[in-house]
Amino acid sequence: MSKYNQELHSNYQKAIQAFLNVYPGKTDKMSVLIDSYCRTCALYLWNTFGVDLSVCTDGINELYAEDKHKRAYTTTQVASALNKLAQKQYTLPVPEFFENIVAQDRIDGTNYSRKLASCLSLVFISFALIDGNVTAEEAKMITKLQSDLVACCDKSKITAYADTIDIAGFVDSDPVKPAAVAPVYKQSAPQKKAPADTKPKKQADSMAELNKLIGLSAAKQSINELRDFAKIQQARKNRGLPVSDISYHLVFTGNPGTGKTTVARLVAQIYKELGLVSKGHLVEASAKDLVAGYVGQTAIKTGEVINEALGGVLFIDEAYALVDTNGQGYGQEAIDTILKEMEDHRDDLAVIVAGYSEPMEEFIRSNPGLKSRFNRFVHFDDFAPEELFEIFQSLCKKNAYTTDEKAAEIIKEHLAALSKSAGDDFANARTVRNFFETVIAKQATRISGEKDPSTELLSTITEADVTWCTDADSKAESLEDVLSELTSWIGLEMVKEEIADLIHVVEHQQRRKAQGLRIPSMSLHLVFMGNPGTGKTTVARYIARLYKSLGLLSKGHLVETDRSGLVAGYVGQTAIKTQDIINEAMGGVLFIDEAYTLNGSGSNDYGQEAIDTLLKAMEDKRDDFVVIVAGYPELMDNFVHSNPGLESRFNRYIHFEDYSADEMLRIFKMSCDKNQYVLTEAAETAVKDYFATVSISTIANGRGARNLFEKVVTQQAKRIASMSESHADELSTITEDDIKHALARGDK
C-alpha cells in the first residue's frame, strides 16, 4: 500500500469515526451510507482531474469507516463508474442519510449535520491530495460539495456551528506538479485556472474593510500605522537600504465582543498582501487547544496548532490562561514551544494574543521571552451607545429588516442603558447580536398568525416587538401578570403547588421585613427532579421571571448550561469557565441540567472545581443570583447529599411527574392549534390510543408529543403532495392515516 493510501485510509476512518462516536442517532447502516457517498465524491473529483484508473481503484478500496464493512472493488467496477461520470456533467445531490440527520437536528435543536458537513470537507480535501496538491479548481469543487450540504442545514435553520476550516487555505499557489497522467475516462480534462472568486483581495480592499468596521478607532489607527510602517520597510529593502528588525506579533486587549477576532482575520490578510506571511489565513486557539493533560504532550499538541498556522496568523484568545496556577508546568511548556516556533518561523508566522487588558499586561510581563516578542499593543475600546445601535442597524440591513421610528427609539434607549450599566457579562457586539435575535424572534411570534403576510410585514420591526426590553416594560410585569400563566400549563399540578407555596413564603417574608421584624434566612436555590421532557427548563425560565416580579432578582433572565459549559480539560481553567457562566447569569437564574454529572470520578476530574466555584458565588452573590439544578430524581438526590455545601444551599425540591396520556394528548393538540392544524375525530382517537399504550417516560414526555407532531406533519405533507390539487381545509387537516404512517415510521 502506498503512503498516500495508508494516510487516506487512516485519516478517513478517524474522521468518520469521530462523527459516529458522538452522533446519538448512529445506526449500523449509517457508516455504510457515508462510505458510499464519500466513494462517489472521490470518483467525482478524481474523474474530473484525470487521475489514473489504477490509482483511483487503490484509493477507493481504502474508503471504509469500519473494518467489517470493507469492500474490494475491481478495476473493471471502478472503470465502469468513471465511464458513467465521463458521459455528462453531473451534480451530486445531497444524500438521503444527510437529510435525515438534518431532520432530526431540527426536531432536537442540535447541529450534528453541520458538524458532519465540516468533517466531510476535510475528507474531500484528502481526496484532492491524491496527486500531492490542492488546486484552486479542486478547492472550488470541494466548496460546492460542502456548500450543498450546508445549504440543506440552512434551509432547516439548523443551529450554527463554528466551522474554522478554510478550504481555500489548502490551495498550493505554486505546487510541484506530479508526472502527467492521461485522463482515461473522459474526453478532456479542464484547465486548472484559479476562478475569479479565489483571487486574493487587493491590499486596499482589506484595509478598506477594516476601516469600514463600526467603532474601533484606536484599533484601526494602530493597524493602519503598522501597515504604513511595513510598506516603508519593504520599500527601503527594495532600494537596498537598511530595514528595522521589528516584531509583527501583536497583543489585542479589550472586553469580549469588541471585534478582536474579526480584526485578527483582517490582519492575517493584510500581512499576506504585504508579503509578511505566505498564506494569510487565521488559526484560532485557546489554552485548551494548546495544553495537554500531562508533561511532554503539550509541546506536541502546541506544535500541531502552530504547524496549521504556518504561513498565516495564530490567534490565541485569553492567552493568560496559559500561565500556570497549579505548578504543573503544562502552560509554561506551551509558552516555551510558542516562543521557539516564533523564532524558528519568524519570516512566515505571526502570533496575536488576546484577552482582557489587565490580565494580558500581566501575562506579557510574566515572561522575558514574551515581553521581547510582544511589544505592540492594540486596544479595543467598548462600543459607545450610538455604535451599538449602528451595529443593530447593520444586522437589520444584512438580514433584510427595518425598524419603525418608535421601535428605533426604544432600541436606542435600551442599548444605551445596557452600555451604561455594563457589568462583567456585557459582551458588546455579541450582546447586540443576541438582542437582535431575540427581537426578530418576538417579531416572528407576532406575525405568525397571518395567513399571507406581506413583504413589509415580514421585514418590519415595530414597537410591539421591542417594548419588552425597556426598563419600564420589565417593571410593568407584575406578579399577577406572571401568575396568570400558571393556569395555562398542562399538568404539572405538584409543580404549581410548590410554586404557590414558595410565593406565600416570600410574600410573608417581605411583609415581616416591611414591619421591621426579623426574617429567617431562606435559600431561593431549587432542585428540579424529573424525567426528560417534563417541563423543567420551561418552569426554570418562569421562576426567573417570578423572582424578578417579586423583587428578588434584578434582571430575571435564565442562563442554561450543563457539565460541558462549566468544566474545562485541566486544573485551574474550570474555575475561569464556571465564573464566566456565573457572570452571564448574574441578576437571574443559572439552570444546570444533569447537575449530578459534576460529581466525576478519579483524581483528574475537575467537576469538584466547578462545584466549589458555584458554592462561593451562591454565597457571595446570594442577593442577586439563583441556581436551579435539575436531573433524574434519584441521581439528583444523591448529588445534593454528596456535599455539605450543596446540602445547605439546596433544601427546596420540586418534583416533575410524568405526563398522563390525557395530558400528552392535550400537548399534541396544542401544537396542532398553534400551527393551524385540525385533527379529524379518528385521528384524535389514534393519538389518544397511542399515548394510552406507550410508556410516557420512554418517549420523553412533552418532547415526545412534540416529536410525534413533527412526524405527523411530515406524513400529512407527503400525502398532500401526491394530490394534483388541494384546498385550504385539506392543507390544515390531519387524518388517521397521517397518524398511523407517522407511528409506523417510528424513529426512522
Side-chain angles (χ1 to χ4, degrees), residues 726-744:
S726 55
H727 301 288
D729 58 339
E730 292 170 330
L731 292 170
S732 302
T733 301
I734 292 174
T735 68
E736 182 181 16
D737 283 344
D738 297 331
I739 304 295
K740 288 181 176 179
H741 285 138
L743 293 174

Side-chain angles (χ1 to χ4, degrees), residues 77 166 192 199 202-203 265 408 421 471 475 509 551 578 595 679 687:
Q77 289 172 320
D166 178 13
K192 296 188 177 183
K199 291 180 180 178
K202 294 179 181 178
Q203 183 180 331
R265 191 168 289 112
S421 61
D471 287 342
K475 290 175 183 174
Q509 298 278 56
T578 302
L679 286 166
V687 175

Side-chain angles (χ1 to χ4, degrees), residues 521-536:
S521 178
M522 184 185 78
S523 173
L524 298 174
H525 310 296
L526 301 171
V527 180
F528 283 4
M529 302 192 303
N531 291 322
T534 46
K536 296 187 291 294

